Amino acid sequence: MLLPYVWLSLAIVWLWLPPQVPARTPWSRFGVSAAWLALAIVHAVAVGILFTAGIVAIAAFGLLCFAYWRQRSPPVDAVLTAGTILFSLALMAHVVSGFSNTLIVRDAVLSPGAVPYTLFMNFDKGQIGLFLLAFGPPLIASRADWAAMLKDTLPAALVLIVLLMLCALLIGQVRFEPKRPDFLPIWLWSNLLFTSAAEEALFRGVIQRRLQGSASTVASRRAIAGLIAAAAIFGTAHYAGGLWSVVLATIAGIGYGWVFWRTNRIEASILTHFLVYTAHILGFTYLALS
């Protein structure tokens, strides 16, 4: 049941791997990613993860994302932006029909006093990262750019981890509880490609970028306001976890947004997001104390 997610993962990862060849050739990153996606869809249908409505949803979302990134006429652009955000949020909330995501673990209590934790592999949410990254701004394409991104990102990620975990400890949301869950490898896979990539592609790559506009390159009031507003929307999306979850997610969103703003790299915010959650599950109560 996990192989369709392997093919979908390859569709996402392949956006960074091939040489930069003309986009219209079949072996371009778009062509190869599309082939992996097609294989993922066929296999997902065969094993009961995806149904006709889901195939239609994937096609519609892909076309919407393509039109959103290509359209520059202000009235149409606003409609496409709103449509892309709303469709992404619907996929993220798992309210789009046609998907039957795979359950990995249900109601696991990872440490004494923690709220039960359930993990799914989300075929629907994976589409968000795939299409928003495929049709978004250029991704990192050289080792030098990867090295520069890591140099700028890793110290900021460490500071954010310390700040967030201190806040969570002070308000009693977590305790220091080192552990290694049995499902950690699949959690790391899912969190990186189906959670961090999807959420950052939407909240930073679309929402923050749109709110900041041309101010994203300078320390202006609009740039700061756009960063904070995107973080607040990100925090609100975590309302199911309660008020403190919203507060902590908003702080995290400010950190992810700052990294994205200063590096102008979506990879930087994806990596920061992933490292924060990895530190959380390995070192502290996950997700929170009950």
Side-chain angles (χ1 to χ4, degrees), residues 27 33 46 65 89-90 96 110 128 146 152 155 158 199 205 231 237 259 276:
W27 53 88
S33 286
C65 291
L89 290 173
V96 178
L110 302 186
I128 302 170
W146 274 111
D152 292 338
L158 178 59
E199 292 183 4
V259 168
V276 165

Side-chain angles (χ1 to χ4, degrees), residues 88-137:
S88 297
L89 290 173
L91 289 167
M92 198 170 288
H94 314 300
V95 297
V96 178
S97 62
F99 298 89
S100 180
N101 295 316
T102 302
L103 176 68
I104 303 301
V105 61
R106 183 185 296 279
D107 294 337
V109 178
L110 302 186
S111 52
V115 298
Y117 173 63
T118 297
L119 173 65
F120 282 88
M121 292 293 283
N122 294 313
F123 202 85
D124 46 4
K125 192 172 182 178
Q127 309 303 321
I128 302 170
L130 174 62
F131 284 110
L132 292 184
L133 292 171
F135 297 130

Side-chain angles (χ1 to χ4, degrees), residues 241-264:
L243 176 61
W244 285 122
S245 179
V246 171
V247 171
L248 291 171
T250 300
I251 296 171
I254 292 172
Y256 305 152
W258 187 86
V259 168
F260 174 67
W261 178 32
R262 300 314 299 168
T263 63
N264 197 32

